[in-house]
Each structure stands twice: as structure tokens, then as C-alpha cells.
Amino acid sequence: MAKRILITGGAGFIGSHLAENLLNAGNQIIVLDNFHTGRKENLTHLLSHPNFELIRHDITDSIKLEVDQIYNMACPASPVHYQSNPIKTIKTNVLGTMNMLGLAKRVKARILQASTSEVYGNPLEHPQNESYWGNVNTIGIRSCYDEGKRVAETLCFDYHRQHGVDIRVIRIFNTYGPRMIPDDGRVVSNFIVQALRGEDITIYGDGSQTRSFCYVDDLVKGIINMMNVENFVGPVNLGNDGEFTVKELAELIIKETGSKSKIIYLPLPQDDPARRKPNLSLAKEKLNYSTTVPLLEGVKKTIEYFSKRV
Ligand code: NAD
Ligand code: UDP
């Protein structure tokens, strides 16, 4: 049945894919975004649809709307952007999530919170299970995001226990694809943009750190399944469990773009996690989750997107 769905951060990378998918499925969509890292262009093709509405709004301010479901995606996700105004990042995660939980409580909407693999910090367990409590620095430059998202999870579970709010919590692992902004700062878009422009490819550290990269279409399916599953609130890991070093990623992107860019090595940022890979067993069991786009295919699609834009 068609639903009234609110997507915060819907002008951003993941949120815009989610909006498109849910609109095409026949739902009414309201997007709230303050356009910090999101862009109206990500939604241009949806703006004239009668079931689509875009509102410039910052979720650190409260808002009254009548909706059935809320996807709380608002928050800059790239370290460069979330560290550019760390106090704002904390406010978005704490005050913003409280506002959305308050709205969910008032209108009895189900709310899905976009949490992150960053709640595991620099993990001492590998791969990361949902039962792992994490290894997070409380006072570092990543803390505004990591600790902000941890508090957001806590708020979700407290609203659930104390007020019976119908929550879903997902922990997203590194996701990439079309509609990332060229200056997003995350590794996949950085390397592709650098390779296409013939600029140096900037590896931070020696490139031996690992990440597990998920193509956005796979993630979006998992997110929507999690919102609509019954009797399971999470938290659940969502991503792709193929693990690659940053150096392997750089080499793959140089090969696929046919670029003459050379790799340069820059200092590793503080608290940069050494290894990261999701255990996806719970997602498989509860959501029948699986990924279909391997890194090579996803990188090719992302190169195609950026090659028209940089
Ligand atoms: P993004 O930066 O492209 O999108 C975030 C969106 O939120 C942007 O449109 C931005 O303008 C908006 N926003 C930020 N603060 C806001 C505020 N206070 N009020 C209203 N809008 C605000 O990032 P993304 O990759 O699309 O990430 C979406 C969500 O998923 C984020 O919550 C992020 O933490 C989470 N996540 C993403 C990844 C990933 O790899 N992409 C990994 C883990 C978690
Ligand atoms: N990274 C890099 N060069 C870049 C951007 C990022 O080597 O131009 C590294 C970064 O240090 C980290 C990994 O790539 O080890 C993933 O970084 P990203 O910012 O994409 O995500 P996160 O650190 O949040 O997983």
C-alpha cells in the first residue's frame, strides 16, 4: 500500500537514490534537506512528480508533518565534510535525531535511523558483528560523527523502550556510486575524480588499510527491506563484505579509467580505522539480504557517471 514517507537528507547521495526508488514504487515522498552536502540536482528528475515534495529544512529544528515512515539519513558522511563543522555534526546526530524521534512518536510513524560502521571505531574484532561494542575515541576528530551516531542509536532504543516508538537501526558500511559530489572527499569519488582529471591519486598512509565497498543500489534494497520487515528492529549491518586495501582500489581505478595519474602517499588522518568488513549474516537471515554488484562493476558505473561531470 502507498505510504507517506519522509526522507531527511534526501538530496544527498544515498537519500536521493532512496527517494527515487520509493517514489517509483508509488509512495508519497517528502524530502527535508539543508543542502550542506546534498544538491537539488540529485532530485531534479523527481521535482515535477505530483507525489514528490522537497523542503529546505535543517533537522536540528523541529517540524510538524503527517507521515507513515521516516528515513533519517541527514548527516554529512564524508570525514572532510563532517569535520568541517564538528559541532553542527553532533547537533545533527543528537538534536536532529531527537526531533525525528519526537515526530515519529507524535504521528506514530516507523523511523529508520542511518547509523554507520563508524560506531565500531578502529575495530578490534574482524569482521564486525552487530554484537561488537566498538573501539571509539571520544575526543578525536572523528568523534563528532562516530559518537554522534552512537548517541543517535541510543536515542532510538530509548524512545523505543520508553515510548514504544517503532524503530529500525541500520549500520551502513562504505557505500559509493553515482550522485556523490565530486568534492565529497571519500575515497572512491576522490580517486575516480583524480584519475579522470589526470591528477595525482592521494593515498593516505601506505594504502594497506582496508574497506568493504558497497554499490548504492544494493544498499538501497537492504534499507527498504529493513524498514518494512516486522519484529526486527536491528541494529543490522548493511554493505558488501568484499574487502580491499585502499591501494588495490587506487590501482583498479587507474586501470579502469586508463588514467596516467600517479599515486602519491600523504599522511594517514588521525584515528583512521585500519580494517573494516561487515559480517552480513544477520542481514542475510532477517532481510534475505545479498549484494549483486561486485566492486569492478560498481566502479565502472561510477566512472561513467563522473566522466560526464568532471
Ligand atoms: P551525503 O553527505 O551525500 O548526504 C547527507 C545529506 O544530509 C545531504 O543531502 C545533506 O545536505 C543533508 N544534511 C546534513 N545535515 C543536515 C541537517 N542538519 N538537516 C537536514 N539535512 C542535512 O551522505 P550519504 O553518503 O548519502 O549518507 C547518508 C546517511 O547515511 C548519513 O546519515 C550517513 O551518516 C549514513 N552513512 C553513509 C555511509 C556511506 O558510505 N555513504 C556509510 C555509513 C553511514
Ligand atoms: N583515503 C585515501 N585517499 C583519499 C580519501 C580517503 O587514501 O583521497 C582513505 C582514508 O584514509 C581511509 C579510506 O580511504 O583509510 C576510506 O576513506 P573514506 O573517507 O572514504 O571513508 P571512511 O574513512 O569513513 O571509511
Side-chain angles (χ1 to χ4, degrees):
M1 207 182 71
K3 294 192 167 61
R4 297 165 303 173
I5 299 176
L6 172 62
I7 305 173
T8 74
F13 160 52
I14 298 174
S16 62
H17 286 275
L18 201 52
E20 181 175 342
N21 214 296
L22 292 166
L23 185 70
N24 288 340
N27 298 292
Q28 280 181 38
I29 307 297
I30 302 173
V31 162
L32 298 185
D33 207 293
N34 69 353
F35 300 112
H36 175 194
T37 51
R39 290 174 310 179
K40 210 173 170 182
E41 293 94 284
N42 283 340
L43 301 168
T44 312
H45 58 304
L46 310 182
L47 290 176
S48 60
H49 196 292
N51 288 342
F52 184 81
E53 204 173 337
L54 172 61
I55 304 173
R56 180 185 286 267
H57 177 81
D58 194 303
I59 62 160
T60 59
D61 293 322
S62 67
I63 189 165
K64 284 189 174 160
L65 296 164
E66 301 298 322
V67 291
D68 305 306
Q69 294 185 337
I70 304 168
Y71 289 85
N72 190 29
M73 310 302 292
C75 181
S78 165
V80 179
H81 294 289
Y82 71 63
Q83 288 165 17
S84 69
N85 189 346
I87 295 170
K88 178 72 192 193
T89 301
I90 285 265
K91 283 185 179 173
T92 295
N93 281 314
V94 179
L95 298 178
T97 304
M98 277 175 78
N99 284 331
M100 289 304 125
L101 285 162
L103 176 65
K105 177 183 164 215
R106 191 175 66 79
V107 300
K108 298 191 171 41
R110 180 174 291 179
I111 177 167
L112 178 143
Q113 172 63 22
S115 186
T116 167
S117 53
E118 296 282 330
V119 299
Y120 302 124
N122 192 359
L124 305 175
E125 257 186 31
H126 191 83
Q128 291 81 55
N129 283 302
E130 290 84 352
S131 56
Y132 177 50
W133 286 357
N135 176 36
V136 181
N137 180 358
T138 57
I139 57 170
I141 55 171
R142 294 177 85 97
S143 311
C144 59
Y145 184 77
D146 302 6
E147 294 290 11
K149 290 284 186 180
R150 287 168 68 97
V151 173
E153 285 198 11
T154 308
L155 282 167
C156 287
F157 278 83
D158 283 336
Y159 269 77
H160 179 59
R161 283 184 290 254
Q162 195 174 333
H163 295 302
V165 171
D166 191 8
I167 59 160
R168 299 288 181 273
V169 176
I170 55 168
R171 292 179 178 158
I172 303 172
F173 283 65
N174 298 65
T175 299
Y176 68 97
R179 302 204 193 125
M180 297 180 91
I181 46 176
D183 68 349
D184 178 275
R186 281 176 280 182
V187 68
V188 177
S189 51
N190 261 15
F191 286 180
I192 291 178
V193 169
Q194 289 163 344
L196 291 172
R197 289 179 176 157
E199 296 169 359
D200 292 342
I201 307 274
T202 54
I203 289 187
Y204 304 156
D206 63 6
S208 64
Q209 70 271 37
T210 68
R211 293 293 186 273
S212 302
F213 301 103
C214 183
Y215 189 67
V216 64
D217 289 355
D218 283 332
L219 181 84
V220 164
K221 274 187 223 141
I223 297 178
I224 294 172
N225 284 349
M226 180 59 178
M227 174 61 105
N228 293 296
V229 77
E230 296 303 325
N231 305 317
F232 176 57
V233 298
V236 66
N237 291 338
L238 290 180
N240 185 312
D241 54 11
E243 186 183 5
F244 296 85
T245 66
V246 165
K247 186 149 189 254
E248 284 169 336
L249 178 73
E251 286 164 351
L252 173 73
I253 289 172
I254 289 174
K255 182 162 170 275
E256 290 307 314
T257 49
S259 174
K260 297 205 165 30
S261 291
K262 63 177 201 309
I263 291 175
I264 59 164
Y265 293 89
L266 299 177
L268 189 68
Q270 189 198 332
D271 295 335
D272 198 284
R275 294 183 77 190
R276 184 185 289 156
K277 168 180 158 160
N279 181 325
L280 296 172
S281 313
L282 190 62
K284 282 187 189 123
E285 180 198 326
K286 299 285 186 186
L287 310 176
N288 201 17
Y289 177 79
S290 65
T291 53
T292 58
V293 185
L295 184 63
L296 176 60
E297 192 184 326
V299 161
K300 280 185 179 167
K301 288 175 193 241
T302 312
I303 291 171
E304 195 187 320
Y305 173 82
F306 278 113
S307 60
K308 296 184 197 117
R309 285 167 179 82
V310 297

